[in-house]
Amino acid sequence: MPTIVHEFAWPDRVVVGTVGLPGSRTFYLQVRTGAQIVSIALEKQQSALLAEKIDEILDQLIAYEGNPFSIPTVTPIELVDNDPLEPVDEEFRTGSMSLGWDPTTVQIVLEAFPLVDEDDDELLEVAVIEPAEMLLVRMPVGTARAFATRTREVVGAGRPICPLCGHPIDADGHTCTLPGA
């Protein structure tokens, strides 16, 4: 079976957003070009790591001696996107992702693959050889910087953290797990 590739070469929009209330939010990576929209579910930790690694790649490119690329150090104001997600129709839940750099187009390249149920040996074998579906996004550097900034903000907008035990504080209260508290 051929792989279904949801490919976005120069997306109009690429963002991480959430559905639900803090403590029970679902994170989504949503990409749009024209009328084509794809939303994939992510874990909060995947979202945070994705933003961190994109910033690392961009910062390394800035620091590279002889760098011929114009890489923004902060999000260009015209690329700030604080709008909510468009209606979400989840394509798949993300398992693995990869990031790369394409110097010929000056773009960050993101690949996301579905989560594979490791209990299903037959499915795992097929997934390792040829995934059934994937998302391929090529982001210009300004868009990538804006994506990373927004993603950090979305991840940080969850439940506040208890200063004593470091666990999230729920809206309905918190029992501190610090001994003696």
Side-chain angles (χ1 to χ4, degrees):
M1 178 166 90
T3 302
I4 298 168
V5 180
H6 305 283
E7 185 171 1
F8 294 84
W10 294 92
D12 296 332
R13 184 175 198 222
V14 55
V15 295
V16 164
T18 61
V19 173
L21 297 173
S24 61
R25 299 184 296 171
T26 301
F27 285 75
Y28 290 97
L29 169 64
Q30 189 171 75
V31 190
R32 177 179 50 80
T33 297
Q36 180 189 12
I37 299 175
V38 171
S39 302
I40 60 171
L42 299 166
E43 294 297 325
K44 179 179 182 178
Q45 296 82 0
Q46 287 175 308
S47 302
L49 188 59
L50 185 57
E52 177 186 328
K53 294 303 179 185
I54 286 174
D55 273 339
E56 277 182 23
I57 290 171
L58 295 174
D59 291 345
Q60 287 174 359
L61 288 167
I62 290 171
Y64 181 72
E65 189 174 323
N67 172 27
F69 310 111
S70 178
I71 310 291
T73 56
V74 296
T75 299
I77 193 72
E78 67 275 8
L79 296 177
V80 171
D81 182 347
N82 293 319
D83 293 337
L85 293 175
E86 296 182 38
V88 173
D89 182 17
E90 182 181 315
E91 293 293 332
F92 59 83
R93 176 159 290 283
T94 305
S96 63
M97 293 185 287
S98 68
L99 277 175
W101 167 249
D102 184 347
T104 62
T105 60
V106 190
Q107 291 178 309
I108 296 289
V109 179
L110 165 66
E111 296 176 329
F113 303 92
L115 185 62
V116 175
D117 182 5
E118 293 183 22
D119 293 335
D120 188 344
D121 291 335
E122 183 181 326
L123 180 61
L124 182 60
E125 206 172 290
V126 171
V128 170
I129 295 169
E130 185 177 326
E133 193 170 12
M134 71 176 286
L135 174 66
L136 173 60
V137 182
R138 303 170 72 76
M139 290 182 264
V141 291
T143 301
R145 187 67 82 182
F147 173 87
T149 300
R150 176 188 164 122
T151 300
R152 280 193 314 280
E153 291 168 358
V154 168
V155 167
R159 297 174 288 175
I161 301 298
C162 174
L164 299 175
C165 69
H167 289 100
I169 301 172
D170 292 320
D172 58 347
H174 172 70
T175 303
C176 192
T177 57
L178 185 68

